[in-house]
Amino acid sequence: MTIGFVPKRSPHSLIQEDLHGQPFWLLVACCLLNLTRRQQAELVLRQLMHRWPSPQDMLEADDAELLSVLQPLGLSNRRLKTLKRMSAAALLGYELPNIPGVGEYARRSYDIFCRNELGLTEPHDGALSQYWRWRTTRS
């Protein structure tokens, strides 16, 4: 991770731009963004951060309560399991890409926004790809 790195603000305004110094929450946001709209994911992310502000809190969260927060996004049972596994792995100090639930989108987001590593190839996700193209033309 690049210490003190702050990514350039883009006209694309990705959630990840605001979470660059909070890798756990960046990964949570990527989990929430999977197969859902940004507006919905952002509302749920804020609730999660307020109610369970750390991986330990998230791990200890009551499943029924956590499910009720995740429910508007759909796939709530799957997201619950992923968030619990991610929380446990974060507490154990696992590094990417070894955290359960971290796929290509989250991995690339982590590299770009937390490590300042754009990579040589364009990401596959639309919004992340737009940001990548914007950043690579402004290096």
Side-chain angles (χ1 to χ4, degrees), residues 72-91:
L73 301 180
L75 306 169
S76 50
N77 286 317
R78 188 179 97 190
R79 291 181 207 275
L80 170 87
K81 290 175 186 169
T82 298
L83 292 177
K84 293 281 188 159
R85 287 193 313 260
M86 285 172 63
S87 297
L91 290 169

PDB file of all heavy atoms in Angstrom, residues 72-91:
ATOM      1  N   PRO A  72     -32.421  -4.934   1.040  1.00  0.00           N
ATOM      2  CA  PRO A  72     -32.786  -4.143  -0.141  1.00  0.00           C
ATOM      3  C   PRO A  72     -31.905  -4.379  -1.367  1.00  0.00           C
ATOM      4  O   PRO A  72     -32.317  -4.092  -2.484  1.00  0.00           O
ATOM      5  CB  PRO A  72     -32.641  -2.690   0.344  1.00  0.00           C
ATOM      6  CG  PRO A  72     -32.748  -2.760   1.824  1.00  0.00           C
ATOM      7  CD  PRO A  72     -32.179  -4.098   2.208  1.00  0.00           C
ATOM      8  N   LEU A  73     -30.716  -4.926  -1.172  1.00  0.00           N
ATOM      9  CA  LEU A  73     -29.809  -5.154  -2.292  1.00  0.00           C
ATOM     10  C   LEU A  73     -30.058  -6.474  -3.006  1.00  0.00           C
ATOM     11  O   LEU A  73     -29.553  -6.686  -4.107  1.00  0.00           O
ATOM     12  CB  LEU A  73     -28.351  -5.140  -1.805  1.00  0.00           C
ATOM     13  CG  LEU A  73     -27.862  -3.881  -1.116  1.00  0.00           C
ATOM     14  CD1 LEU A  73     -26.407  -4.040  -0.707  1.00  0.00           C
ATOM     15  CD2 LEU A  73     -28.043  -2.667  -2.003  1.00  0.00           C
ATOM     16  N   GLY A  74     -30.790  -7.375  -2.362  1.00  0.00           N
ATOM     17  CA  GLY A  74     -30.923  -8.716  -2.904  1.00  0.00           C
ATOM     18  C   GLY A  74     -29.691  -9.536  -2.555  1.00  0.00           C
ATOM     19  O   GLY A  74     -28.707  -9.005  -2.039  1.00  0.00           O
ATOM     20  N   LEU A  75     -29.771 -10.819  -2.808  1.00  0.00           N
ATOM     21  CA  LEU A  75     -28.660 -11.735  -2.512  1.00  0.00           C
ATOM     22  C   LEU A  75     -28.170 -11.576  -1.078  1.00  0.00           C
ATOM     23  O   LEU A  75     -26.983 -11.729  -0.781  1.00  0.00           O
ATOM     24  CB  LEU A  75     -27.489 -11.502  -3.479  1.00  0.00           C
ATOM     25  CG  LEU A  75     -27.800 -11.562  -4.962  1.00  0.00           C
ATOM     26  CD1 LEU A  75     -26.623 -11.054  -5.786  1.00  0.00           C
ATOM     27  CD2 LEU A  75     -28.172 -12.968  -5.383  1.00  0.00           C
ATOM     28  N   SER A  76     -29.082 -11.259  -0.168  1.00  0.00           N
ATOM     29  CA  SER A  76     -28.685 -10.894   1.195  1.00  0.00           C
ATOM     30  C   SER A  76     -28.027 -12.051   1.948  1.00  0.00           C
ATOM     31  O   SER A  76     -27.080 -11.815   2.703  1.00  0.00           O
ATOM     32  CB  SER A  76     -29.856 -10.315   1.982  1.00  0.00           C
ATOM     33  OG  SER A  76     -30.991 -11.126   1.891  1.00  0.00           O
ATOM     34  N   ASN A  77     -28.475 -13.278   1.761  1.00  0.00           N
ATOM     35  CA  ASN A  77     -27.830 -14.412   2.447  1.00  0.00           C
ATOM     36  C   ASN A  77     -26.392 -14.597   1.970  1.00  0.00           C
ATOM     37  O   ASN A  77     -25.483 -14.816   2.758  1.00  0.00           O
ATOM     38  CB  ASN A  77     -28.620 -15.705   2.248  1.00  0.00           C
ATOM     39  CG  ASN A  77     -29.882 -15.720   3.071  1.00  0.00           C
ATOM     40  OD1 ASN A  77     -29.878 -15.336   4.228  1.00  0.00           O
ATOM     41  ND2 ASN A  77     -30.974 -16.149   2.468  1.00  0.00           N
ATOM     42  N   ARG A  78     -26.194 -14.483   0.666  1.00  0.00           N
ATOM     43  CA  ARG A  78     -24.849 -14.607   0.105  1.00  0.00           C
ATOM     44  C   ARG A  78     -23.942 -13.469   0.587  1.00  0.00           C
ATOM     45  O   ARG A  78     -22.798 -13.682   0.977  1.00  0.00           O
ATOM     46  CB  ARG A  78     -24.912 -14.627  -1.419  1.00  0.00           C
ATOM     47  CG  ARG A  78     -23.551 -14.939  -2.046  1.00  0.00           C
ATOM     48  CD  ARG A  78     -23.624 -14.969  -3.535  1.00  0.00           C
ATOM     49  NE  ARG A  78     -23.183 -13.650  -3.990  1.00  0.00           N
ATOM     50  CZ  ARG A  78     -23.281 -13.224  -5.227  1.00  0.00           C
ATOM     51  NH1 ARG A  78     -23.848 -13.955  -6.142  1.00  0.00           N
ATOM     52  NH2 ARG A  78     -22.834 -12.045  -5.568  1.00  0.00           N
ATOM     53  N   ARG A  79     -24.474 -12.253   0.571  1.00  0.00           N
ATOM     54  CA  ARG A  79     -23.688 -11.099   1.018  1.00  0.00           C
ATOM     55  C   ARG A  79     -23.342 -11.232   2.506  1.00  0.00           C
ATOM     56  O   ARG A  79     -22.230 -10.904   2.915  1.00  0.00           O
ATOM     57  CB  ARG A  79     -24.433  -9.800   0.762  1.00  0.00           C
ATOM     58  CG  ARG A  79     -24.569  -9.442  -0.692  1.00  0.00           C
ATOM     59  CD  ARG A  79     -25.308  -8.116  -0.855  1.00  0.00           C
ATOM     60  NE  ARG A  79     -26.003  -7.992  -2.097  1.00  0.00           N
ATOM     61  CZ  ARG A  79     -25.479  -7.579  -3.243  1.00  0.00           C
ATOM     62  NH1 ARG A  79     -24.206  -7.256  -3.303  1.00  0.00           N
ATOM     63  NH2 ARG A  79     -26.208  -7.481  -4.324  1.00  0.00           N
ATOM     64  N   LEU A  80     -24.295 -11.697   3.305  1.00  0.00           N
ATOM     65  CA  LEU A  80     -24.050 -11.884   4.735  1.00  0.00           C
ATOM     66  C   LEU A  80     -22.872 -12.831   4.947  1.00  0.00           C
ATOM     67  O   LEU A  80     -21.939 -12.516   5.693  1.00  0.00           O
ATOM     68  CB  LEU A  80     -25.286 -12.430   5.437  1.00  0.00           C
ATOM     69  CG  LEU A  80     -25.049 -12.890   6.870  1.00  0.00           C
ATOM     70  CD1 LEU A  80     -25.197 -11.728   7.834  1.00  0.00           C
ATOM     71  CD2 LEU A  80     -25.983 -14.003   7.245  1.00  0.00           C
ATOM     72  N   LYS A  81     -22.897 -13.970   4.291  1.00  0.00           N
ATOM     73  CA  LYS A  81     -21.814 -14.949   4.438  1.00  0.00           C
ATOM     74  C   LYS A  81     -20.477 -14.359   3.983  1.00  0.00           C
ATOM     75  O   LYS A  81     -19.448 -14.546   4.643  1.00  0.00           O
ATOM     76  CB  LYS A  81     -22.128 -16.215   3.643  1.00  0.00           C
ATOM     77  CG  LYS A  81     -23.266 -17.023   4.235  1.00  0.00           C
ATOM     78  CD  LYS A  81     -23.635 -18.192   3.358  1.00  0.00           C
ATOM     79  CE  LYS A  81     -24.870 -18.878   3.912  1.00  0.00           C
ATOM     80  NZ  LYS A  81     -25.421 -19.854   2.989  1.00  0.00           N
ATOM     81  N   THR A  82     -20.502 -13.643   2.877  1.00  0.00           N
ATOM     82  CA  THR A  82     -19.271 -13.038   2.366  1.00  0.00           C
ATOM     83  C   THR A  82     -18.729 -12.002   3.337  1.00  0.00           C
ATOM     84  O   THR A  82     -17.524 -11.976   3.633  1.00  0.00           O
ATOM     85  CB  THR A  82     -19.518 -12.396   0.986  1.00  0.00           C
ATOM     86  OG1 THR A  82     -19.902 -13.419   0.068  1.00  0.00           O
ATOM     87  CG2 THR A  82     -18.277 -11.692   0.468  1.00  0.00           C
ATOM     88  N   LEU A  83     -19.597 -11.135   3.868  1.00  0.00           N
ATOM     89  CA  LEU A  83     -19.141 -10.096   4.798  1.00  0.00           C
ATOM     90  C   LEU A  83     -18.599 -10.692   6.091  1.00  0.00           C
ATOM     91  O   LEU A  83     -17.600 -10.204   6.632  1.00  0.00           O
ATOM     92  CB  LEU A  83     -20.275  -9.111   5.097  1.00  0.00           C
ATOM     93  CG  LEU A  83     -20.708  -8.231   3.924  1.00  0.00           C
ATOM     94  CD1 LEU A  83     -21.887  -7.356   4.317  1.00  0.00           C
ATOM     95  CD2 LEU A  83     -19.558  -7.395   3.409  1.00  0.00           C
ATOM     96  N   LYS A  84     -19.219 -11.750   6.573  1.00  0.00           N
ATOM     97  CA  LYS A  84     -18.712 -12.401   7.786  1.00  0.00           C
ATOM     98  C   LYS A  84     -17.340 -13.029   7.520  1.00  0.00           C
ATOM     99  O   LYS A  84     -16.424 -12.897   8.335  1.00  0.00           O
ATOM    100  CB  LYS A  84     -19.701 -13.469   8.280  1.00  0.00           C
ATOM    101  CG  LYS A  84     -21.021 -12.925   8.794  1.00  0.00           C
ATOM    102  CD  LYS A  84     -20.888 -12.394  10.198  1.00  0.00           C
ATOM    103  CE  LYS A  84     -22.257 -12.030  10.753  1.00  0.00           C
ATOM    104  NZ  LYS A  84     -22.282 -11.971  12.187  1.00  0.00           N
ATOM    105  N   ARG A  85     -17.187 -13.692   6.367  1.00  0.00           N
ATOM    106  CA  ARG A  85     -15.886 -14.294   6.025  1.00  0.00           C
ATOM    107  C   ARG A  85     -14.824 -13.219   5.816  1.00  0.00           C
ATOM    108  O   ARG A  85     -13.686 -13.366   6.264  1.00  0.00           O
ATOM    109  CB  ARG A  85     -16.013 -15.166   4.771  1.00  0.00           C
ATOM    110  CG  ARG A  85     -16.742 -16.479   5.010  1.00  0.00           C
ATOM    111  CD  ARG A  85     -16.573 -17.445   3.847  1.00  0.00           C
ATOM    112  NE  ARG A  85     -16.785 -16.852   2.546  1.00  0.00           N
ATOM    113  CZ  ARG A  85     -17.899 -16.949   1.821  1.00  0.00           C
ATOM    114  NH1 ARG A  85     -18.921 -17.634   2.275  1.00  0.00           N
ATOM    115  NH2 ARG A  85     -17.984 -16.384   0.642  1.00  0.00           N
ATOM    116  N   MET A  86     -15.201 -12.126   5.156  1.00  0.00           N
ATOM    117  CA  MET A  86     -14.257 -11.032   4.948  1.00  0.00           C
ATOM    118  C   MET A  86     -13.830 -10.419   6.283  1.00  0.00           C
ATOM    119  O   MET A  86     -12.650 -10.106   6.475  1.00  0.00           O
ATOM    120  CB  MET A  86     -14.880  -9.944   4.066  1.00  0.00           C
ATOM    121  CG  MET A  86     -14.969 -10.312   2.606  1.00  0.00           C
ATOM    122  SD  MET A  86     -15.905  -9.112   1.628  1.00  0.00           S
ATOM    123  CE  MET A  86     -14.905  -7.650   1.816  1.00  0.00           C
ATOM    124  N   SER A  87     -14.768 -10.262   7.190  1.00  0.00           N
ATOM    125  CA  SER A  87     -14.464  -9.687   8.506  1.00  0.00           C
ATOM    126  C   SER A  87     -13.493 -10.576   9.272  1.00  0.00           C
ATOM    127  O   SER A  87     -12.509 -10.094   9.845  1.00  0.00           O
ATOM    128  CB  SER A  87     -15.751  -9.498   9.310  1.00  0.00           C
ATOM    129  OG  SER A  87     -16.614  -8.592   8.676  1.00  0.00           O
ATOM    130  N   ALA A  88     -13.774 -11.872   9.275  1.00  0.00           N
ATOM    131  CA  ALA A  88     -12.901 -12.818   9.973  1.00  0.00           C
ATOM    132  C   ALA A  88     -11.502 -12.806   9.358  1.00  0.00           C
ATOM    133  O   ALA A  88     -10.500 -12.783  10.077  1.00  0.00           O
ATOM    134  CB  ALA A  88     -13.494 -14.224   9.924  1.00  0.00           C
ATOM    135  N   ALA A  89     -11.426 -12.804   8.040  1.00  0.00           N
ATOM    136  CA  ALA A  89     -10.130 -12.797   7.364  1.00  0.00           C
ATOM    137  C   ALA A  89      -9.367 -11.500   7.644  1.00  0.00           C
ATOM    138  O   ALA A  89      -8.159 -11.524   7.853  1.00  0.00           O
ATOM    139  CB  ALA A  89     -10.329 -12.987   5.860  1.00  0.00           C
ATOM    140  N   ALA A  90     -10.075 -10.381   7.674  1.00  0.00           N
ATOM    141  CA  ALA A  90      -9.424  -9.094   7.967  1.00  0.00           C
ATOM    142  C   ALA A  90      -8.846  -9.103   9.377  1.00  0.00           C
ATOM    143  O   ALA A  90      -7.740  -8.608   9.613  1.00  0.00           O
ATOM    144  CB  ALA A  90     -10.409  -7.945   7.795  1.00  0.00           C
ATOM    145  N   LEU A  91      -9.574  -9.681  10.315  1.00  0.00           N
ATOM    146  CA  LEU A  91      -9.095  -9.749  11.699  1.00  0.00           C
ATOM    147  C   LEU A  91      -7.875 -10.653  11.836  1.00  0.00           C
ATOM    148  O   LEU A  91      -7.029 -10.434  12.692  1.00  0.00           O
ATOM    149  CB  LEU A  91     -10.205 -10.229  12.624  1.00  0.00           C
ATOM    150  CG  LEU A  91     -11.336  -9.219  12.833  1.00  0.00           C
ATOM    151  CD1 LEU A  91     -12.509  -9.866  13.541  1.00  0.00           C
ATOM    152  CD2 LEU A  91     -10.834  -8.005  13.595  1.00  0.00           C
TER     153      LEU A  91
END
